[in-house]
Each structure stands twice: as C-alpha cells, then as structure tokens.
Amino acid sequence: MNLIPVNEPLLNGNEKKYLNECIETGWISSEGPFVKQFEELFASRMGRRHGIAVSNGSVALEAAVVALGISHGDEVILPTFTIISCAAAIVRAGAIPVVVDCQPDTWNMDVSQIEAKITPKTKAIMVVHIYGLPVDMEPLLILANRYGLQIIEDAAQMHGQIYKGRPCGSFGAISTFSFYPNKHITTGEGGMVLTDDDNLAEHCRALRNLCFQPQKRFLHEELGWNLRLSNLQAALGVAQLERLDEFVLRKRHIGQRYTELLSNIPSLQLPLPQTDYADNIYWVYGLVLKDDVPFDAEEAMRRLAQHKIGTRPFFWCMHEQPVFRNKRLFDGVSCPVAERIARRGFYIPSGMALTDVQIEQVVEIIIKILK
Ligand SMILES: *Cc1c(COP(=O)(O)O)cnc(C)c1O
C-alpha cells in the first residue's frame, strides 16, 4: 500500500488557467488583479465588507492584534488548545495571553470559563474555532458586549462553516483566515483579515504594506510589515473559492464516512457530528484515545506511520509551551481537559484528495493498531 498522507489538496479546477493568465500578462506581484478579486469574493462570501489578503494566517493575527490597538500590559483571553500563532501575535504586541481550558467533547474553548478570567486589563477575546465545530458564539458575544471587549475571530479552520445561520469569519471586529494547503481552500501560503470597519481595514492595509503613506510614500508614522500576497497566490485562491461549497461537502462526507466506520470502536472518542448550534465541517478528523488504551497518541501515531498512514498530533497547550513558561507567562495555570487531549489526541488523513478507498484502508489499520 502507498503512503496515505495526512493532507493532499485538490488543484484540478481553474488553478492552472488563472496561473497562466498571471504569467501571460506579467502580473505576478501583489499589484495584480487577482488579489483584489480574491479579497472581494472572499469577504462577500464570509459576509464581511472588507478583505485584506496577507501572506499567511499567522501574520493575519499579528495585523489584527496591532490594528485593534492591543499593546503593552493589555490582556487577551484565548483558548490554551490552539496553534502558537494565536498566542505569539498577542505576546509580540507586548500584551499578555490569558488562557481558558476547552470542552472535552467539542475541543473548543469553554465559554463558561471566560468570565472568571476577565480583569480591568482585559482588552479582547481571541476566539479560535477548532478542527470542525465553531465556538459557541452567542454567550461569548453577550459577555464581550457586557464587558466592552473586542473580539478577534480566528476562523482559519472554518471556511464555509455556519454558526446559527451566520458564517464563521463574520463575528467580532476582526476575523482572520489561513490558506495553507491543509485548509478548506488554499493559495499555497496565504491568509486574509476580514472586517466591516473602514478604519480597521485601512489600518490593516497600511500594516500589510510597510505603512507606506499615500502622499509621502517613504515617510513612516508607524511600523508595518511586508505581508503582501502575490497575484500568483491570489489566482489560486480565486480558483479554489469557486469550489468551496463542493469542498465543504467533500469534507463532511469524509467525516461522516469515518464516523460510520469507527463508531463501534469503544476505545476511541470521535468528533461530535453536531452540536445544537452547528454541524461539524471536519476540517480534520480528530481521534482521542480513551483511558482504556494503554498507550498515548505518540505511540498510536508511530504505529500508524509504520503502516504508512500520515497523522498529526493535536495542538500542545499554550500554557505548557517552554517558550512561554520561560517568560513566566503561565505560572500555576492548569487546564486539565486540554492537557489530556493534547496527550491522547491526533488526527488522521482528512485532505480534500482523500478517496473512499483510502478512508477504508485507514480505518482497517486503526483497528489493527489498537488490538
Ligand atoms: C493554520 C492556522 C493558523 C496559521 O495559519 P498559517 O497560514 O499556517 O500561518 C492560525 N490559526 C489557526 C486556527 C490555524 O488553523
């Protein structure tokens, strides 16, 4: 059997055609027409007024944090169970990340734990939707409103997901996306900041482009970065976006098929198919080993690799990161649920190009390695 990779994108729509257009017209930098087109199409698809395309999802978060004026001494609440990009954006802005634990079934931040973490220094909540189900936004929005907190919504795993009829990526002051090849749509490397606010949009555009000024180009009032997305990348984005609905259906099919085939294995915790506010979009298909399994995720992944099945570990908690512990950022913090799933959880092949036959092969080997 050939290797079944943890992810493989599908690039067989208009990708080649639009890339050829870039090369034939000579428009390859961020000045090309696909960038604006991609921004407008993506923003409107997500129900936002402005889209600012950037070079990846991590810098989208950096720009969002700075654009909201979050800086020294401010506190931002976020899930501990997330990617380093979230906490890094907060720390690099000089602010303090304050983590909450996640729920054992959805793996998303436990919204009921947020209020206890709010202090006079709290400026914002960074919401991160994890793996396939959105965070329960309604109580979170009420809380943020009551305490006057900003919301940054990291929707990098939620392209096309809906929370109670509203697109993920349309919540709060600013939302961010990534277009890395394992996301629902990809530009190779890429990201987007979305907002409805004209001033925030303009600020993000300036931050993306070194804070050059329209009148006096080389006079700088603020430090920005070069976060620009190229026309080549945006061409891929436009082609991929044309197929988002199909890709969402494909991911849901993969998720449902895995669930059908794995649900009679008692020692595995599977992703929830739905909650009362959303259906799982299965960005990835995660598994958590129950307590009766005598080994942890690392050993399970090692065994699967021996059978040529690609996997990835679950996130490692932010409060357990050496780089932050060394900064004494999370002294005394414990988040037992996230700590447990970080050690017992991993995800299996769930890319867009995964076939039904491959799904069955993966399941067969999972059953074998658990014996
Ligand atoms: C992928 C991802 C990012 C980072 O995006 P990159 O484009 O890889 O920098 C940020 N947040 C979440 C939740 C992600 O899944």
Side-chain angles (χ1 to χ4, degrees), residues 55-61 82-86 128-130 154-157 176-180 182-183 188-191 283 315:
S55 35
N56 57 67
S58 303
V59 295
L61 287 164
T82 186
I83 189 169
I84 191 77
S85 315
C86 301
V128 193
H129 311 294
I130 298 292
D154 181 350
Q157 307 181 352
T176 64
F177 282 89
S178 161
F179 306 115
Y180 191 70
N182 63 357
K183 313 296 178 175
E189 300 286 349
W283 171 60
F315 292 125

Side-chain angles (χ1 to χ4, degrees), residues 134-168:
V135 172
D136 192 5
M137 292 305 293
E138 215 161 65
L140 190 146
L141 291 170
I142 291 169
L143 198 65
N145 197 36
R146 178 142 42 93
Y147 286 92
L149 305 177
Q150 301 272 23
I151 289 173
I152 303 165
E153 183 194 10
D154 181 350
Q157 307 181 352
M158 290 296 126
H159 317 60
Q161 178 59 297
I162 301 285
Y163 173 92
K164 294 191 177 176
R166 239 182 105 173
C168 287

Side-chain angles (χ1 to χ4, degrees), residues 21 36 105 160 162 186 220 256 259 270 277 298 305 326 359:
E21 255 178 70
K36 200 154 191 299
D105 51 355
I162 301 285
T186 182
H220 301 268
Q256 280 152 14
T259 298
L270 309 181
Y277 47 81
E298 218 168 275
N326 293 343
I359 292 174

Side-chain angles (χ1 to χ4, degrees), residues 331-344:
D331 285 356
V333 171
S334 96
C335 297
V337 178
E339 287 164 26
R340 179 173 177 281
I341 65 169
R343 286 158 177 83
R344 310 285 294 172

Side-chain angles (χ1 to χ4, degrees), residues 60 84 89 93 104 124 144 152 156 164 167 178 184 198 200 215 234 264 280 295 326 330 359:
I84 191 77
I152 303 165
K164 294 191 177 176
S178 161
H184 289 89
D198 297 349
L200 280 175
Q215 307 304 328
N264 57 356
N280 205 318
F295 48 84
N326 293 343
F330 297 115
I359 292 174

Side-chain angles (χ1 to χ4, degrees), residues 17-28 34 231-233 235:
K17 181 173 165 226
Y18 297 162
L19 278 175
N20 270 333
E21 255 178 70
C22 298
I23 291 164
E24 277 159 16
T25 60
W27 283 112
I28 56 172
F34 280 118
N231 201 51
L232 294 163
Q233 293 165 311

